[in-house]
Amino acid sequence: MMSSSSSTREGKLAGLTGATGRRVSQWLAGPVPTSVLIALVIGAGFMLVAGANPITGYHSMLVGSLGSGQGLSTTIQRSIPLVGMALCVAVAFRAGVLNLGAEGQMVLGGLAGAVVALNLPGPGLLVCAVACLAGIAAGALWGALSAALQAWPGVPLLITSLLLNYPARYFVSWMIRFPLKDPASSSVATESYRPEVQIPLLAPKGSAIGDWLAQNLGSDNPLTVIGKGVGWSLVVVIVLVALVSFINRRTVFGLESGINGLNEGFSRYSGVRVNWMTTRTMLLSGGIAGLVGVMLTIGAPTSRLIDGSLIDTNYAWTGLLVALLALYRPAGVVVAGVFFGAIVAGSGQMGRDLSMSPQIAAVVQGIVIVLIAFQVHPPRRRRRAGPPAEADNSAAAVPTNQAEGA
Amino acid sequence: MLAVEMRHITKRFPGVLADDDVSFDVRQGEIHALMGENGAGKSVLMSILSGLYRPDSGEILVDGRPVKFASPLDAIGAGIGMVFQSFKLFPSLTVAENVVFREEPTRHGLYDKRAAAAIVTQIAERYGLAVDPAAVTGSLPVGVLQRVEIIKALYRKAKVLILDEPTAVLTPQETDRLFEVLRSLQADGHTIILITHKMREVMAISERVTVLRDGRVVARLNTAETTGEEITRLMTGRDIDLEQSPPKSAPGAPVLEVSGLTCRQAGQKPAVDNVSLTVRAGEIVGIAGVAGNGQSELAEAIAGLRAADAGTVRIAGTDVTAGSVKVRRAAGLSYIPEDRHAVGTAPDADVASNLAMGHHRRPPLLQHGLLKRARLADFAQRLVDRFGIKVAGTGVLARTLSGGNLQKIVVARELDYASPLLIAEQPTRGVDIGAIAAIHKEIADYRDGGGGVLLISAELSEILSLSGRILVMFEGRIVADLEAAATNEAELGLLMAGGELAGAGKEAQS
């Protein structure tokens, strides 16, 4: 897999000067389509074992993800948090800040949003905005805690950010189980928010646009269905992608963080204060995670925070994979995020259509993800190698000899 | 009888002819010093002998039989073991585990821990290499790690031991102990090749010396029949004219004032020990010294990359002792670092970003608080044109550039600040002669434009041709302050090796 991946990269380079057709065919022979194909074949085997017809299964997967209005709507709904969480990881990893705490930052953001939405009186839109800000702040501060612990006393951020997921996760669970628990409900969940504080749907049933769409395009038209199912979180995520892309390309912070991710020694030498860079990166990354948490918590049609609802979806970890696949580029994050959103949506539909147990659908989904991950490029970190003749002594010789295990 | 014979070895890397028709032989049971400046081709030659590189042409004979090494495993199989400058040990494993790695003694098919420890103890005692087989490698000082590496080679039945700059990391006492070990190995019939440029050590321990310069053998000498001065001259005497015109004006106001600067390191003597120096506008002050005598640490401490334990630093009149790198750069520092891959550039970023870093905080790159790709590209193109950097475009990755061109990227970026002070650390290491001449000219022009330069180099010819004043650094201290016109390579070579001037030379050699 490794060698095929690198040869494809060369193939892509060569393709820049060649014909588009050759480029397309080279891409098709590359690792991504190959992994998808292998995943589908293995998935088919699992479906046979589970007593389902793979062709019907894949058909309903396609319909449930991209081939119908409802499918598209579900795919977009799933893609929004995936793209958001991938963006959170991408801004951090691009800067060389290995934030594995996206999940904790997300759930705390969600909790903060829920607390505001439940308790703050006032106009719905204002409460909604305050809830978003509270979520951003909670995620950002939780993220910055890891940065602070790395600056002093020097615990690697990779470790603290990962471990801080646990207190965050269980604190949120405890909050939902006890202080915020709705005594009237049998499920472990908070009370419902006022409908007007939710992040609204784009064109819900009963709204002017929604009705206009239904009348003029028909109630089954994809646009109508998407309008009914997808909320303003979509717009928020699109803005977020544009914003991150702008930061990367146009700001001092963006240039410095990109360089920092490629070679921290060089960025330090150029006058970048690495600890401060790490802190700012974690504020940004954690803030994005917190905002995603809020969107998952108060975004319609979600009307209350249910225990485990943010974690069970695995958005944070799938988002990490999306970010790696996208090489931390915002545009790539969108493409990869929507692709994974479609897999999640489609496998759900497949499970329902074939009355397959959700576990089998999850297995197929997992296989696709694992196989796609095989071609994940490792994080681009500085490698210590140059033309060998220059490292007069052994510097250049190190990697070779280590590989030999001498 | 010859233990090793290398005939007509040529090895070329992109842009560099590392070894050019080099013939090299070592007699059975001798200690042979291989000498040369950085980039002379000695490490590449030994990497070929130890199986790391394959020569483009030429042949190798071991004990009179031709051999071809595809990997270091082949070389060790033929009895040739190399101890590298940076050790290749697993820090989490014990000494014994590191020694027997991949050739573990077994008992009933399982790793035999006791046998491994016994083997290590046996080899260690035989040659006076004091180590604890059960110690975890990561906790050991470098002097002991070196012994572990030697034991590792001996365990693999190495008859020929190559040691690459073995004393660079050792204290004088450890050096003496190492030499005792080498003599006992020699007494036991081993052959030893020592890569070094420390004159005193060569004189003390070797029987013969081969001197390389610019990838060619310039001399084969019997140590007893030569002098440190002669070897120094052979190592450094370049034919190509790297002479620079003298400064056009007298030095002006101080741009760098360092006073009492000290950088301690845990468990060892200070890397920088109470260093005071001044660099004035319009002059180049050279710091000569054998690698590892605190020059890099001094440069890093002045640049703000290393914390100082005592002393003050003023750049262009501003006290920056407590300032970050950013503060020091703003005060008027530019810095060509020793390691262009790890510090001076981000090889995986494009040329434009590499040239922009540092300049990106002010106009013309930063306008209304924002950067723009096109402005970065224009800026980079201007530097590429001005300094004659050969690149396909400013969007290509820096790693695709040759060593000389990558170095020019660093030089171009740093000189373009036109700041009062430039620290140039090994500015021409590993670059070809043409690029050396170009970089030297840029540095001289910078001086004539009123800049002050602190030039740190292991190349004596470079120091002598550029500097007005020369400071010699040895074991963290400045041991001499000389007018460049009043000194020479031989004298500097002795001072760099810790010797003393005026008749004390012979003493330092013995």
Side-chain angles (χ1 to χ4, degrees):
Chain A
M1 277 293 176
M2 289 294 282
S3 65
S4 85
S5 140
S6 70
S7 71
T8 318
R9 234 178 303 168
E10 281 157 26
K12 273 182 195 162
L13 286 178
L16 289 175
T17 51
T20 316
R22 204 167 64 210
R23 239 160 90 195
V24 169
S25 63
Q26 267 168 353
W27 187 83
L28 283 175
V32 173
T34 314
S35 329
V36 172
L37 195 71
I38 296 171
L40 293 181
V41 170
I42 297 178
F46 268 92
M47 284 188 233
L48 287 172
V49 169
N53 181 344
I55 295 173
T56 338
Y58 284 131
H59 180 253
S60 78
M61 196 169 175
L62 189 67
V63 170
S65 59
L66 302 170
S68 68
Q70 188 52 53
L72 277 171
S73 173
T74 315
T75 295
I76 294 171
Q77 287 173 46
R78 301 289 177 267
S79 302
I80 289 168
L82 276 177
V83 169
M85 294 314 289
L87 221 45
C88 148
V89 174
V91 295
F93 277 42
R94 177 175 179 271
V97 176
L98 302 180
N99 178 15
L100 294 183
E103 185 181 87
Q105 293 143 22
M106 176 182 81
V107 294
L108 283 178
L111 177 73
V115 169
V116 170
L118 286 168
N119 297 307
L120 188 69
L125 204 59
L126 186 71
V127 174
C128 180
V130 174
C132 287
L133 291 177
I136 292 171
L141 291 176
W142 197 245
L145 179 59
S146 295
L149 287 169
Q150 177 164 278
W152 189 91
V155 194
L157 186 138
L158 180 83
I159 293 170
T160 52
S161 65
L162 180 65
L163 293 181
L164 283 175
N165 284 331
Y166 296 93
R169 188 194 282 181
Y170 293 113
F171 175 70
V172 171
S173 178
W174 177 80
M175 284 292 284
I176 297 170
R177 279 167 189 276
F178 300 101
L180 298 178
K181 168 95 170 65
D182 179 4
S185 165
S186 61
S187 56
V188 184
T190 66
E191 289 175 39
S192 294
Y193 329 114
R194 291 179 284 147
E196 63 267 27
V197 308
Q198 291 178 7
I199 299 173
L201 296 170
L202 287 172
K205 218 179 246 177
S207 71
I209 309 173
D211 290 346
W212 184 87
L213 283 173
Q215 273 163 24
N216 290 281
L217 301 173
S219 59
D220 289 336
N221 183 279
L223 275 180
T224 318
V225 178
I226 290 169
K228 279 192 300 188
V230 177
W232 279 87
S233 301
L234 174 65
V235 178
V236 174
V237 163
I238 290 170
V239 171
L240 216 50
V241 169
L243 189 70
V244 169
S245 175
F246 180 82
I247 290 173
N248 287 353
R249 286 183 300 115
R250 297 295 305 275
T251 66
V252 168
F253 173 79
L255 177 67
E256 289 182 354
S257 69
I259 291 291
N260 197 61
L262 293 174
N263 184 355
E264 192 184 296
F266 177 48
S267 84
R268 233 163 75 80
Y269 150 88
S270 309
V272 176
R273 282 169 296 167
V274 172
N275 282 338
W276 176 225
M277 157 70 62
T278 305
T279 307
R280 284 184 294 167
T281 303
M282 287 303 287
L283 285 169
L284 177 63
S285 175
I288 294 173
L291 181 58
V292 174
V294 177
M295 295 193 297
L296 287 170
T297 305
I298 65 168
T302 311
S303 61
R304 56 185 185 159
L305 184 54
I306 303 169
D307 188 27
S309 63
L310 295 181
I311 291 162
D312 293 346
T313 52
N314 246 339
Y315 285 135
W317 298 103
T318 315
L320 172 73
L321 187 63
V322 169
L324 290 172
L325 274 173
L327 297 172
Y328 321 141
R329 291 190 189 108
V333 161
V334 172
V335 173
V338 170
F339 178 74
F340 278 89
I343 291 175
V344 175
S347 58
Q349 183 66 35
M350 180 176 73
R352 284 189 294 279
D353 283 359
L354 278 65
S355 47
M356 196 188 276
S357 66
Q359 284 77 9
I360 286 292
V363 165
V364 174
Q365 181 192 326
I367 289 167
V368 175
I369 292 175
V370 166
L371 280 164
I372 300 276
F374 275 163
Q375 71 96 48
V376 167
H377 302 278
R380 297 174 300 172
R381 304 290 302 169
R382 174 176 65 80
R383 269 159 296 172
R384 218 196 151 99
E390 287 170 21
D392 179 62
N393 294 312
S394 52
V398 174
T400 326
N401 201 46
Q402 275 172 346
E404 301 291 344
Chain B
M1 158 139 194
L2 294 177
V4 169
E5 191 179 2
M6 300 177 82
R7 289 182 185 158
H8 306 292
I9 299 287
T10 295
K11 179 70 182 173
R12 185 184 294 275
F13 291 107
V16 192
L17 186 56
D19 283 311
D20 183 6
D21 193 27
V22 172
S23 293
F24 172 71
D25 60 71
V26 184
R27 288 175 199 145
Q28 190 86 54
E30 76 170 337
I31 298 183
H32 192 116
L34 181 60
M35 303 197 67
E37 290 190 284
N38 288 321
K42 50 193 195 299
S43 285
V44 171
L45 189 69
M46 288 303 102
S47 295
I48 290 170
L49 184 55
S50 62
L52 223 45
Y53 300 145
R54 256 168 280 183
D56 297 336
S57 62
E59 58 177 343
I60 303 172
L61 285 80
V62 174
D63 294 330
R65 283 187 303 275
V67 290
K68 281 209 188 318
F69 298 146
S71 80
L73 295 179
D74 292 349
I76 193 71
I80 294 172
M82 183 146 175
V83 175
F84 289 92
Q85 216 176 358
S86 51
F87 306 123
K88 296 161 200 308
L89 299 168
F90 300 103
S92 58
L93 298 185
T94 66
V95 167
E97 285 161 350
N98 266 295
V99 168
V100 301
F101 178 70
R102 283 185 69 141
E103 283 171 40
E104 297 85 352
T106 55
R107 209 173 112 95
H108 311 307
L110 295 172
Y111 170 58
D112 187 348
K113 198 172 167 181
R114 214 176 301 164
I119 289 165
V120 171
T121 309
Q122 188 207 334
I123 298 174
E125 281 175 358
R126 188 159 165 198
Y127 301 108
L129 292 151
V131 293
D132 172 10
V136 173
T137 312
S139 64
L140 299 172
V142 283
V144 180
L145 296 181
Q146 190 172 56
R147 283 176 233 152
V148 177
E149 283 283 9
I150 293 173
I151 294 172
K152 208 169 93 181
L154 293 174
Y155 173 64
R156 286 163 172 71
K157 309 245 180 311
K159 295 297 289 175
V160 178
L161 266 181
I162 308 166
L163 293 105
D164 187 0
E165 304 269 356
T167 61
V169 293
L170 299 184
T171 61
Q173 294 84 345
E174 285 175 322
T175 301
D176 291 342
R177 287 182 68 177
L178 174 68
F179 283 180
E180 282 166 29
V181 169
L182 295 186
R183 287 199 187 93
S184 72
L185 283 167
Q186 184 185 22
D188 201 41
H190 288 85
T191 306
I192 290 156
I193 303 172
L194 210 56
I195 305 178
T196 182
H197 45 219
K198 288 193 188 174
M199 204 59 61
R200 189 178 50 177
E201 295 166 3
V202 172
M203 290 299 165
I205 198 165
S206 72
E207 272 112 50
R208 289 200 304 148
V209 183
T210 299
V211 183
L212 289 180
R213 187 170 72 220
D214 299 334
R216 295 178 146 271
V217 175
V218 290
R220 294 183 184 84
L221 306 162
N222 290 320
T223 312
E225 296 160 11
T226 185
T227 62
E229 284 86 350
E230 185 185 3
I231 296 175
T232 307
R233 197 165 55 244
L234 286 163
M235 271 165 56
T236 56
R238 286 171 193 275
D239 294 334
I240 98 154
D241 183 22
L242 288 170
E243 284 300 309
Q244 293 298 329
S245 57
K248 293 192 175 71
S249 54
V255 293
L256 173 67
E257 295 153 274
V258 175
S259 170
L261 196 66
T262 300
C263 298
R264 299 202 182 90
Q265 32 187 10
Q268 293 172 50
K269 51 188 168 37
V272 178
D273 192 355
N274 195 19
V275 166
S276 300
L277 60 90
T278 302
V279 178
R280 293 171 180 280
E283 76 166 340
I284 299 177
V285 175
I287 293 191
V290 176
N293 277 283
Q295 306 96 308
S296 300
E297 290 84 355
L298 174 64
E300 286 174 9
I302 295 172
L305 287 165
R306 173 182 289 265
D309 297 293
T312 57
V313 177
R314 295 172 75 85
I315 293 174
T318 314
D319 189 332
V320 295
T321 308
S324 64
V325 180
K326 196 171 170 180
V327 166
R328 290 169 197 235
R329 283 189 171 267
L333 165 79
S334 51
Y335 175 29
I336 299 168
E338 178 180 21
D339 188 338
R340 59 176 163 267
H341 294 107
V343 180
T345 61
D348 290 316
D350 62 10
V351 167
S353 301
N354 271 295
L355 284 169
M357 280 305 279
H359 296 282
H360 69 291
R361 298 189 190 94
R362 60 189 185 192
L365 291 185
L366 192 67
Q367 283 175 18
H368 310 297
L370 291 178
L371 300 166
K372 198 171 183 182
R373 210 62 237 176
R375 287 203 294 271
L376 262 60
D378 288 348
F379 176 79
Q381 192 59 50
R382 184 173 68 73
L383 291 187
V384 164
D385 293 343
R386 181 182 150 201
F387 288 87
I389 305 167
K390 292 188 197 73
V391 286
T394 59
V396 303
L397 296 188
R399 67 151 63 270
T400 62
L401 270 57
S402 72
N405 273 310
L406 191 63
Q407 185 68 6
K408 278 187 181 175
I409 296 264
V410 179
V411 171
R413 185 187 61 224
E414 297 304 312
L415 290 187
D416 198 65
Y417 290 119
S419 57
L421 171 66
L422 169 71
I423 300 175
E425 194 181 358
Q426 316 290 0
T428 58
R429 172 175 288 178
V431 306
D432 57 45
I433 297 284
I436 290 175
I439 291 170
H440 282 183
K441 185 169 182 310
E442 290 291 348
I443 292 176
D445 288 351
Y446 182 84
R447 171 199 64 196
D448 293 339
V453 182
L454 186 66
L455 172 69
I456 297 172
S457 178
E459 306 271 355
L460 283 177
S461 55
E462 181 165 273
I463 295 264
L464 278 162
S465 76
L466 282 171
S467 315
R469 227 153 33 85
I470 299 174
L471 310 176
V472 180
M473 218 170 159
F474 179 70
E475 296 186 344
R477 280 171 289 116
I478 305 274
V479 295
D481 183 346
L482 308 161
E483 288 299 320
T487 186
N488 56 52
E489 286 178 2
E491 192 174 288
L492 289 173
L494 285 173
L495 287 165
M496 283 162 60
E500 279 162 31
L501 290 183
K506 290 282 172 220
E507 204 175 290
Q509 286 169 18
S510 58

